[in-house]
Amino acid sequence: MPKGYWVVAMDAVDQVAVADILRQLSYTISEHNGAILAESDNGPPRDTTPEQRVVIVEFATLADAQACIDSAAFQRTRQMREAISSLHIVVIEQASF
């Protein structure tokens, strides 16, 4: 069965808040058979422009990825995530070619 992935892109000035969100979500992600595979960390923001970070999360299946994003635990982090100026999560399935 193909794996599922989250591709997360966020613009955030407060890197401490981003780290806190990822820490809180890591347990929820692992409960849904997932793990954070990769995370960009480009250092402090330059000037006053928010820094973009990208996180790749792998799940055992696409259904696990979708269940995690729909979970109550993930939804409880909404207020924290709203502190980030921009957050985009795309749920994708492993290519079969």
Side-chain angles (χ1 to χ4, degrees):
M1 182 173 282
K3 294 182 179 186
Y5 295 88
W6 287 358
V7 179
V8 183
M10 60 186 105
D11 290 330
V13 176
D14 186 350
Q15 294 303 311
V16 174
V18 170
D20 192 36
I21 291 167
L22 292 174
R23 200 171 21 261
Q24 294 222 8
L25 286 176
S26 65
Y27 181 73
T28 302
I29 289 167
S30 67
E31 282 186 320
H32 289 86
N33 303 311
I36 296 174
L37 285 185
E39 171 187 3
S40 69
D41 185 0
N42 301 323
R46 294 160 199 77
D47 300 323
T48 59
T49 306
E51 174 185 350
Q52 184 172 45
R53 290 184 69 173
V54 176
V55 178
I56 306 296
V57 182
E58 180 182 65
F59 292 88
T61 66
L62 181 62
D64 288 333
Q66 291 172 330
C68 187
I69 208 165
D70 293 335
S71 71
F74 181 80
Q75 296 305 318
R76 282 193 296 272
T77 66
R78 179 177 304 274
Q79 183 178 8
M80 291 174 60
R81 290 182 282 120
E82 287 175 353
I84 296 173
S85 60
S86 174
L87 174 70
H88 303 282
I89 301 173
V90 179
V91 179
I92 60 174
E93 186 174 36
Q94 179 182 12
S96 60
F97 50 88

